[in-house]
Each structure stands twice: as C-alpha cells, then as structure tokens.
Amino acid sequence: MGMNLAEAILARAAGLERVEPGEFVWAEVDVALANDVTGPMAIAEFERMGARRMFDPDRVVLVPDHFTPNKDLAAASQAKTLRQFALDQGIKHYYEIGRMGIEHALLPEEGLVGPGQLIVGADSHTCTYGALGAFATGVGSTDLAGAMATGRVWLKVPETDRYVYDGSLPRWVGAKDLILFTIGQIGTDGARYRAMEFAGAAVRALPMDGRQTVCNMAVEAGAKAGLIAPDAVTAAYLARRAQRDFPACSAETCARPAHVIRWDISALEPQVACPHSPANVVPVSQAGAVPIDQAVIGSCTNGRLDDLKVAAEVLSGRQVHPRVRLLIIPATQRVYLEAVRLGLVETFVAAGAAVSTPTCGPCLGAHMGVLAAGERAVATTNRNFVGRMGHPESEVYLAGPAVAAASAVLGRLAHPGEVAA
Amino acid sequence: MTGPQPATPAAHRGRVWKYGAHVDTDGIIPARHLTSFDPEALRRHCLEDLDPGFAAAVRPGDIVAALENFGCGSSREHAALALKAAGVHCIIAVSFARIFYRNAINIGLPVLECPVLAERAATGDFIGVDLAQGELWHNGELHQAEAYPGFMRELIAAGGLVPYLKRQLEGRR
C-alpha cells in the first residue's frame, strides 16, 4: 500500500525507503521549538544529559510567548534562562519581546517551517505547521532536550485518517467552526495517536491563516499531527517568506488512509464548544443566550490577520457591551503592525476593546485576562477545561472570531448575523 | 480491601485514587503554577483543580487510576513530573493521551493501560503491581496490563530518556 503524507515525511526523516503505521523510528528533526514555559525545563534536561553543544543551533527556535511580557518575578526568571541559553548556544532564531509573536503564528510567518519537514515542539499546538504540509507534533521538555542534543527524536508512525469537507463555508462560518464541528463529532480522543489529513473543496478554499486554525486544533481530538497536502496556496504563501529549502515529500498516489470521514459543510452554522470540553460542541443558535463577562480574540488558533479582519467587520461602528471586557491580541508583531496599517486597531479601540501586544496570556489563564470565580468568557482560543482561563469555577466557551466579536457587542453568546449584515 | 498478596517480592501494593475520563493537564497542574519546574513546588499543587484534597492526602506509593484519555491537553511535562513528585507509583488507565504518555515514559513514571481494571478500581481500593511483568492484582483477580513495545522497554530499562541519551552522547565522545 502506498504511503500517506505523514508516512512519507517520517520515512524521509528516518532515512528509510518506507515506514508502516505502528513502526518505531528514530527520525531527524528539521525544527525543534520551545517556549518560556517548556524551554527552561528542556535546558535543564539538556544539561542533565551531559550535552554541552546543540546538535545544530540553526534548527532550534526559542520563543518567549506564554508568560511574557514577564508577568512576575518567577516568569521573568524563566524568560531570562531562555534568553541566556539562546545567547550561549548561538541560537539565531530567538525572538525577543517587540519582535516576536505567539510561536505557532510566528514560525510560518518567518518562513522557518514548510512542506516535508519533521518538526517537534515542546508545545502541544506544534501540530499547527501541518497546514503547510509538515509533520509537526507536540512533545514534552525531555524529548525536546533530546532533539536539541542529538538532532533526533523517537516516534511511532501513526495511522492516517482523511477528513474530507465538501461544499463551501457559508457567510460568517470559518475555519474554527469547521474544526470545532469535527472535534464535536469525533470527541477529544477521536484521533488519539493518529494523523488527521484535512482535504476536500472547503479546505482547499481556505487561505493559509484558516488552514493553520484547522491544524492547530488537531491535538484537541488527540491527534499526533494534522496535515494539509501542499498546493498552490502553500506555494504562494512560502514564496514570500521561505528562509530555507524544504524537502520534496508527497503522499504516494496509491496511498490509502485507514478511515475516510466525509461531511458536506455547505449548511454549517457557527459552532461553539461549551464548558468544559472542546468536544462539547453545538451550533451557536442552540447554545442559548448565555451572558458573558469577557471575550478574547487571539491565540495561536485565531490571532492571525484574517481573524482580526473578521472581528473588525463585526465591530466596525459598534460598541462593546457595557458589562463586557473585550481583549484583542494580535498573534505576532507583524500581524499587529498590519492591523494598525489597515485601521483594524482603530476600529477595535473605538469599539471599546483592549488591544494587547502578542502573548499566549489569557488562553491558559496565565495573565492578561484571568477570570474570577463565576465569570464566563467566549474565546477564540483552543481549550475550555476546568480552570483553563483562571478560577476553577469560571467558564470558557470556544468559538471563532465572528461569534466572539458579536457576543462582545451583545453581552451574550450571539450569531454574527444578529449584529452585522 | 485485602486481595491476594503479590506473588513476587519486587511487587508493590498501593492505594487507589480513582478519576474519570479525559483528565486534562490543566486539571493535573494548572498553568498558574508553571513558573517553576521544581518537583516539590509542583507536588504541592498536583491535581489542585480536579481534586483539591489530593496533594495533602496522597502518600508515596499510591496509585492513580482513571478512564479514557488520561493527560489530554497541553504538552507540559510538569503534569507527569507533579504526579511523580507526589510519590505516585504508577498510573493505570483505560487509555492515555499521547504527549502525556511519552512524557511519563521519558521521565520514568510508569503508565499502564488496563481497561478492565481501570474501570473497576475505586478510590480506597488496593492494587498489587508487578511492573516487570505488567501484572496487577485487584480484589483477588489478576489483570494483565498492555505490554510495552520492545523499543519502549529499552527506554524504561535505561531509566528514561535522559540516561538513555546520556549513554549515547558519552559513547560519541
């Protein structure tokens, strides 16, 4: 049987003719990534391994994005460890505050990730880069330390399931709705240990920002990787950015996924994941008029320029509800600057939103928008577990940027069509 | 409470803390405590939002049992480390989320898939464990945990990924 894209990439990275699902391989990594939470722990393990120098400093990327700009003394100390290590090891792909972004929005934008690569990151949302046709997967700090020291990582080759989306997305329905719908259908372990390949007309029609949103949340279904086969959209995106050559790698024409799951999404409604699971998904019209205290638009899932454009379309000429705090967090400095140039930031500030420098902050309840007991948020982030955004008695509803913006205006969960045409 | 005694002297007997399905890493160690990876600091907050009484009452050698997809969510190795620092002898679940599973193997925290026992075990029960054989005794019954694939057995025998790679790196010099 021919190899699927995930298998073809892993075979290349392992230096093998072919690999089979279930096989264990040692594979060479093209990019190894860590942040200010997982990086310091990886550095400690790197030293405990007796490693002194990096296998290849140019393949390592370090981004302080979780607790930054430093939220307190302990966070400052972790960020300092990361910075010092980057300096000592001569890592050029370290991105300082003011020049950085949330890692999974930053690396594609910088042209560091692309088709055919094997990427490991000490962050579960590393699977985002599958949008560019890479095999990208989240690992822990010890694995990352091993990758930094030896350039290799152990992996079990996953089975591939293909998710095919026919039709075209209706007005106000976007990439986030597509992936929330999928997780709602298959559950948070529906793709456990597997590779999800996203295909079909609706996926082909998605621009690169939306494709990243889809692959970003593959981990929320338990997947090891989410992938979209590279096409003209990928090539056009890379042409303007690529800092390196990417390995030639594609699925074999006779490739057969383990399962093919097919949906027509032409009548899909905006989706909402209710507390406390990303799989607790309903169409927004069935979620009820749930009042909210906070709305967050940003994160590695939905903080890209297309997301901010959708939010601005809903917010333009309108006001955030008096009882609601709306936080808008461009995912990278480049997205921020572009949002300023296009007048989106002016729209947000005029509407009564707070606009922040890039940070993961509120998504994981770290800082910049932590919820009190009994508070409720709608967020374009990726998880709504108990205590995710703050107090264990707070609640998070996950949605796309259009629903989050409309909800901020009406002070309750709302369909974007209720406030904008 | 008194099952048959484990057959081998190497085996362990531990008290069970039982949880449900989809225990996530935010529930195991909330992000507000990720400004440190000191095991002692993580231990104090282990399972804080899921079971606030756990950290104070857990005893070294206790066992965590849970249903499907244990450890889903973030890649934070702090979660596996917090449970290890709390003295948890092993985790028995119907299934594990993949990053948590890797992290546990890499740091030498035993994780065992044994669906029938994971369903049956209740908080306060005792389970006898022979890690080498993957044998688990509960209420007079013997359960066999899923065997680790060969490669993973090597990693476990080495004591985790750090000692495993340390040996390789030393060999290279």
Side-chain angles (χ1 to χ4, degrees):
Chain A
M1 198 160 64
M3 289 191 292
N4 290 291
L5 182 56
E7 293 146 30
I9 296 171
L10 291 178
R12 182 202 57 80
L16 298 169
E17 270 300 293
R18 56 183 303 109
V19 296
E20 302 288 341
E23 189 177 341
F24 282 81
V25 295
W26 279 97
E28 197 163 315
V29 303
D30 297 291
V31 177
L33 163 75
N35 57 52
D36 55 313
V37 168
T38 59
M41 193 171 179
I43 292 163
E45 297 300 279
F46 178 82
E47 286 162 0
R48 225 158 56 80
M49 279 171 197
R52 284 189 281 273
R53 305 304 300 175
M54 202 63 69
F55 172 76
D56 176 1
D58 287 354
R59 293 194 213 175
V60 175
V61 183
L62 301 177
V63 187
D65 60 359
H66 275 56
F67 293 159
T68 58
N70 301 337
K71 79 179 181 88
D72 56 23
L73 275 174
S77 162
Q78 292 203 138
K80 187 181 171 192
T81 301
L82 197 72
R83 181 180 304 114
Q84 192 58 48
F85 183 73
L87 202 63
D88 292 347
Q89 294 285 337
I91 295 169
K92 65 178 181 199
H93 300 302
Y94 165 81
Y95 296 89
E96 195 50 271
I97 306 308
R99 280 86 77 194
M100 52 73 81
I102 296 174
E103 49 195 338
H104 308 309
L106 183 69
L107 269 63
E109 202 184 77
E110 287 289 321
L112 294 172
V113 292
Q117 284 184 326
L118 171 61
I119 302 162
V120 295
D123 189 280
S124 59
H125 292 111
T126 299
C127 55
T128 307
Y129 314 126
L132 292 102
F135 186 96
T137 192
V139 296
S141 294
T142 298
D143 269 320
L144 204 274
M148 290 196 298
T150 67
R152 299 197 310 160
V153 66
W154 66 270
L155 291 169
K156 185 178 168 186
V157 179
E159 293 217 61
T160 293
D161 296 329
R162 186 176 296 156
Y163 293 79
V164 184
Y165 304 85
D166 295 321
S168 56
L169 291 168
R171 173 81 170 140
W172 297 123
V173 181
K176 182 63 163 289
D177 304 299
L178 195 147
I179 190 66
L180 284 179
F181 168 77
T182 305
I183 299 164
Q185 293 293 311
I186 69 172
T188 55
D189 57 357
R192 206 171 51 92
Y193 287 90
R194 310 177 77 82
M196 300 174 86
E197 212 178 279
F198 301 103
V203 168
R204 294 275 151 242
L206 285 176
M208 195 47 77
D209 282 8
R211 293 179 180 198
Q212 290 178 59
T213 302
V214 171
C215 290
N216 173 275
M217 287 191 74
V219 66
E220 260 53 75
K224 185 167 200 157
L227 301 97
I228 296 174
D231 60 8
V233 173
T234 323
Y237 183 89
L238 291 168
R240 287 177 283 136
R241 295 176 176 82
Q243 282 198 31
R244 44 184 76 175
D245 292 329
F246 297 109
C249 230
S250 58
E252 292 173 358
T253 44
C254 52
R256 256 188 302 165
H259 301 103
V260 177
I261 300 97
R262 199 168 201 124
W263 289 295
D264 189 311
I265 48 70
S266 300
L268 193 70
E269 247 196 79
Q271 307 282 303
V272 178
C274 303
H276 292 283
S277 166
N280 194 11
V281 175
V282 293
V284 67
S285 62
Q286 287 173 32
V290 181
I292 56 158
D293 304 287
Q294 177 167 295
V296 177
I297 298 173
S299 83
C300 62
T301 312
N302 280 122
R304 298 180 183 81
L305 195 62
D306 285 353
D307 301 313
L308 301 190
K309 283 181 181 168
V310 169
E313 219 181 314
V314 175
L315 291 166
S316 180
R318 298 185 176 87
Q319 286 297 307
V320 173
H321 191 278
R323 273 190 302 97
V324 173
R325 296 105 55 183
L326 170 59
L327 312 179
I328 300 182
I329 310 178
T332 68
Q333 289 290 125
R334 201 172 278 131
V335 169
Y336 200 148
L337 186 57
E338 206 50 38
V340 170
R341 284 184 180 141
L342 294 173
L344 309 181
V345 171
E346 188 176 344
T347 300
F348 298 149
V349 175
V355 182
S356 155
T357 195
T359 178
C360 305
C363 173
L364 70 162
H367 65 143
M368 293 290 296
V370 175
L371 298 174
E375 287 194 322
R376 196 180 290 126
V378 58
T380 68
T381 56
N382 40 57
R383 294 194 175 121
N384 57 353
F385 301 142
V386 171
R388 175 70 181 181
M389 199 174 273
H391 197 279
E393 283 159 32
S394 62
E395 289 183 344
V396 176
Y397 287 75
L398 303 175
V403 167
S407 305
V409 170
L410 293 181
R412 58 164 172 85
L413 285 184
H415 190 293
E418 292 181 62
V419 294
Chain B
M1 300 285 272
T2 53
Q5 288 307 300
T8 62
H12 171 87
R13 194 162 173 273
R15 184 180 58 153
V16 172
W17 295 78
K18 173 70 178 282
Y19 300 101
H22 310 293
V23 170
D24 60 79
T25 51
D26 284 273
I28 299 171
I29 186 79
R32 58 184 176 273
H33 302 305
L34 300 184
T35 50
S36 165
F37 56 92
D38 169 30
E40 175 53 27
L42 296 172
R43 182 195 64 74
R44 286 198 300 272
H45 302 291
C46 188
L47 297 180
E48 189 169 274
D49 288 354
L50 178 69
D51 182 356
F54 177 84
V58 65
R59 290 193 304 253
D62 282 359
I63 290 167
V64 168
L67 301 179
E68 295 82 7
N69 206 21
F70 185 89
C72 62
S74 135
S75 71
R76 62 188 71 160
E77 199 166 301
H78 309 65
L81 193 55
L83 287 160
K84 192 181 177 193
V88 169
H89 179 261
C90 65
I91 304 170
I92 300 166
V94 172
S95 62
F96 291 89
R98 61 160 286 273
I99 307 179
F100 180 88
Y101 188 84
R102 270 186 92 93
N103 288 344
I105 296 286
N106 282 342
I107 68 165
L109 170 67
V111 276
L112 302 164
E113 285 188 353
C114 189
V116 173
L117 175 57
E119 298 259 3
R120 282 189 198 162
T123 295
D125 287 1
F126 279 81
I127 294 178
V129 182
D130 183 339
L131 286 175
Q133 303 302 321
E135 290 178 347
L136 304 164
W137 291 266
H138 175 251
N139 286 347
E141 277 186 72
L142 172 63
H143 300 264
Q144 186 69 46
E146 292 286 326
Y148 293 112
F151 166 73
M152 237 176 252
R153 281 203 296 273
E154 277 174 48
L155 211 55
I156 293 163
L161 188 67
V162 170
Y164 183 93
L165 289 182
K166 190 172 184 185
R167 214 170 296 159
Q168 273 190 13
L169 288 167
E170 278 163 1
R172 213 181 272 175
R173 287 205 190 102

